[in-house]
Amino acid sequence: MSKISRRRFMQISGSLVAAGAIPGAGLLTKSSFAAEPIKLGLLHSLTGTIAIAEAALVEAEKMAIDEINAAGGVLGRMIDPVVADGASDWPTFAEKTKQLLQRDKVAAIVGCYTSASRKAVLPVLKQSKGLLYYPTYYEGQEEDKHVIYTSQEATQSVISAIEWMAKQQGKTFFLVGSDYIYPRTCNKIAKPTVARLGGKVVGEEYAPLGHTEFSSIINKIKAAKPDWIYSTVVGGSNVAFYKQLKAAGLDGGKQKLLSTVVSENEIDGIGKENAVGYYACMGYFQSIKSPENEKFVKAIKAKYGQDRVVGDPMECAYNSVYLWKMAVEKAKSFDVDKVTAASSGIEFSAPEGKVTVHKTNHHVSKKVRIGRARADGQFDIVHESGVIEPNPFPKL
Amino acid sequence: MTFRRGNQAPRRKAVIPAAISIEETFVTFGIFVMQLFNGLSLFTILLLMALGLAIVFGLMGVINMAHGEIMAMGAYTTYLTASFIEHHLPGLMGVYLFIAILLAFAVTFAFGYVLERGFIRWFYHRPLDTLLATWGLSLILQQTYRSVFGAQEVSVPLTTWLSGAWEPTETIQLPLNRIFIVALTILVTLGVWYILHKTRWGLRARAVTQNRAMSSAVGIDTNRVDALIFALGSGLAGIAGSVFTMVGSTNPGTGQLYIVDSFIVVVFGGVASLLGTAASSFLIAQMQTALEYLMSGSMAKVAILLLVITVLYFRPNGLFASKVRA
């Protein structure tokens, strides 16, 4: 019948507390020093009408994340992608952004494709102090401190494209676009550029989004006989436009056409035989010859199948993840303000060559290229610009 | 006439002959002919698109929001047929389109039959519920296409003999694929007219639409007639979808591009009237092409919609309102 003395009691309970505390202490150490993954949001439309263009971007982003993780992660932590579906619906984009930032606590988001979805997300980014990497070419006219724009804005592609076209034979231009902000802004930039180069705009036409009947516009083109068609027709309309141009006898052999929205991905749907001979102006083409690009294309094909083609937005999506990673490493922190500040001036050797985040305006300096579509759906690069500084608010 | 005007006249005369050379006149004439042809072509496209809907909506009163997705089903059937023939029977590539059209009709006809038996018939006499249910169905179908075929566009190869244009003169080019669509639509429309007005089955179908109870009393199997009408409407949508792969795009959302136009044509023409559907397609198509040439595409659309609204305001049952009890 031994009575437990007070001292003995203290000893036992003390050691129990200590024993309990040790695993706790272990956990504490682990969470603060070892690699708990850091979350990165990937927000694109996987369903709905815009999924046509956006679904492939997620694949490119995931590939970049896998590569970074295989090389040891970022600041010693693995990246854990959190994929959210914006469902081609702008309020859903805003709602998912809120979820990503507040519930999932992602460090940054790579996402959006249409300008409408980006605009919907801006207030949420501001409210919850988020950071968005926007990987699509777009019309410019925006500079938000919560967004890094990693593709070419309109002046970067449109001005170089028009300058190049004007150097070729003929200086009359016919502008065709879908009826929304991107084509209208591009043409607003194109018109003074054409005038400056001594050319002439002989027609400007807009078709409603999703329009599939281009016969009247094609007749207007035939009547105006332009040297160049500059096209900003997007989406499914593009397929109809190219098919009907060809049927009307204005194929790539007879009529020169340049688009700033048709990448290899679009040609897949348009049909290679309908796009042969037409030009496109992009920052990236799959046919770029460089060790970085060959490695990139090979990796995409190995991961997603030999038939996959890579277009400009996919490459910019891939770059976005790296630009974020480099900014985090430069800032030595995942804090949004610090990462944003560190982003300025960051250089990445992308598959398309060097891209540099601008010192102040959150866009990137990059080269653009002009390619001519081949029978196999790839582009022959016929022109490469110098490095072009971004200028989202051009004086026109 | 004042002295001043008379004085100006010779100056104008000097300008005009220089501006319009003989060559220019030929070009203008060529464009005029091509515009007329475009109107005709758009007419047949709209008619083909609306024909199935006119039957389903007109004869049965079912508002089928998934009509466009059934067209997309026809388009995807065409794509599958093309891919299959390209890889396994390349010798048949020249005529694959005919096989694809028949297959598209068969697939969508069967789908329509099953759909009516298993789904639509539970919603008769509940028009608003039908609207919601078929809209839901259209979303389900779209997402199915997206999961099966991918979100990207698929490209359907154009048969070689249908690419290119017929050039009666140097300034006139009429795309062969459009001539083909014109011919096919005429054939299909005549076929539908024949089925509905010259066969016993058509007689029964019309009887059921006019008076269901009486038709049932004289021994017509109204359920079967319903299912077949719906299947026929779907089959026609399938043909339309198959043919449109030649001029338009094929992606999971393709159906959405056609559904609004189809409804406008059917409602504008007057429900339950094939003639009305034809007349309304013709009117809308000619106006659209003419206005598109004179103004912009978006403005043409606005003008057409204004016209439709005005006409429906004064003739709520459409251009050709039939006096049928729906």
Side-chain angles (χ1 to χ4, degrees), chain A residues 223-245:
Chain A
K225 295 204 195 90
D227 296 311
W228 280 99
I229 300 173
Y230 170 51
S231 163
T232 38
V233 176
V234 302
S237 291
N238 239 330
V239 182
F241 184 44
Y242 277 42
K243 277 185 183 171
Q244 291 170 24
L245 271 175

Side-chain angles (χ1 to χ4, degrees), chain B residues 3-320:
Chain B
F3 181 69
R4 238 184 126 85
R5 272 198 191 166
N7 217 9
Q8 267 178 351
R11 241 178 38 221
R12 270 191 211 151
K13 240 184 214 163
V15 175
I16 291 166
I20 303 177
S21 66
I22 294 174
E23 191 204 349
E24 288 279 314
T25 322
F26 274 119
V27 170
T28 320
F29 175 71
I31 299 278
F32 180 72
V33 173
M34 284 192 285
Q35 272 306 110
L36 278 187
F37 176 76
N38 283 346
L40 182 70
S41 159
L42 183 62
F43 156 59
T44 53
I45 286 176
L46 286 178
L47 182 59
L48 197 55
M49 186 183 326
L51 210 53
L53 196 74
I55 287 176
V56 169
F57 183 41
L59 292 186
M60 304 174 71
V62 170
I63 301 175
N64 183 12
M65 298 295 283
H67 191 77
E69 275 61 43
I70 296 178
M71 287 167 82
M73 188 178 287
Y76 276 116
T77 309
T78 310
Y79 165 69
L80 287 180
T81 314
S83 319
F84 180 82
I85 291 183
E86 204 171 15
H87 288 114
H88 296 99
L89 306 159
L92 290 177
M93 260 328 258
V95 290
Y96 97 86
L97 193 63
F98 296 103
I99 303 171
I101 289 174
L102 289 178
L103 271 177
F105 179 77
V107 168
T108 49
F109 186 91
F111 181 78
Y113 192 90
V114 173
L115 188 65
E116 200 278 341
R117 285 292 83 192
F119 187 76
I120 302 285
R121 69 165 162 151
W122 308 108
F123 292 99
Y124 286 145
H125 311 298
R126 293 158 65 188
L128 281 182
D129 297 354
T130 318
L131 197 130
L132 272 183
T134 51
W135 186 57
L137 178 72
S138 83
L139 294 181
I140 293 173
L141 285 174
Q142 277 177 44
Q143 199 54 40
T144 311
Y145 301 147
R146 207 164 277 129
S147 310
V148 176
F149 298 100
Q152 300 265 344
E153 310 260 351
V154 296
S155 87
V156 183
L158 186 61
T159 323
T160 12
W161 58 269
L162 276 176
S163 57
W166 178 52
E167 299 185 27
T169 75
E170 220 168 277
T171 52
I172 301 175
Q173 293 107 1
L174 307 179
L176 288 175
N177 56 8
R178 285 178 184 265
I179 296 176
F180 177 79
I181 295 177
V182 172
L184 185 82
T185 309
I186 293 172
L187 212 67
V188 169
T189 314
L190 287 178
V192 169
W193 178 83
Y194 183 83
I195 289 175
L196 283 182
H197 291 271
K198 296 284 163 191
T199 63
R200 286 202 72 77
W201 180 81
L203 188 67
R204 284 192 211 114
R206 283 181 297 132
V208 171
T209 353
Q210 291 187 7
N211 194 326
R212 179 173 298 272
M214 190 57 92
S215 312
S216 185
V218 297
I220 297 175
D221 183 351
T222 57
N223 286 338
R224 203 178 133 73
V225 168
D226 282 339
L228 284 175
I229 295 179
F230 194 86
L232 179 65
S234 303
L236 290 171
I239 294 182
S242 173
V243 169
F244 293 161
T245 56
M246 290 194 291
V247 286
S249 67
T250 309
N251 65 60
T254 296
Q256 296 293 305
L257 301 176
Y258 300 122
I259 188 77
V260 176
D261 283 338
S262 311
F263 267 107
I264 290 177
V265 167
V266 172
V267 173
F268 184 60
V271 180
S273 158
L274 275 189
L275 184 65
T277 306
S280 115
S281 321
F282 186 75
L283 199 65
I284 291 180
Q286 290 298 348
M287 264 189 73
Q288 170 113 7
T289 38
L291 291 178
E292 246 175 30
Y293 195 77
L294 300 173
M295 328 181 207
S296 73
S298 303
M299 281 314 290
K301 204 109 205 171
V302 170
I304 300 267
L305 289 175
L306 279 177
L307 171 85
V308 170
I309 292 170
T310 318
V311 168
L312 288 182
Y313 181 79
F314 291 106
R315 291 184 67 90
N317 292 322
L319 285 179
F320 287 70

Side-chain angles (χ1 to χ4, degrees), chain A residues 102-121:
Chain A
Q102 294 179 356
R103 189 192 66 191
D104 301 318
K105 307 256 184 267
V106 297
I109 298 172
V110 183
C112 297
Y113 184 86
T114 62
S115 288
S117 65
R118 190 190 65 249
K119 295 273 185 205
V121 159

Side-chain angles (χ1 to χ4, degrees), chain A residues 309-321:
Chain A
V309 293
V310 195
D312 181 282
M314 276 178 84
E315 190 251 3
C316 290
Y318 172 86
N319 296 350
S320 300
V321 178

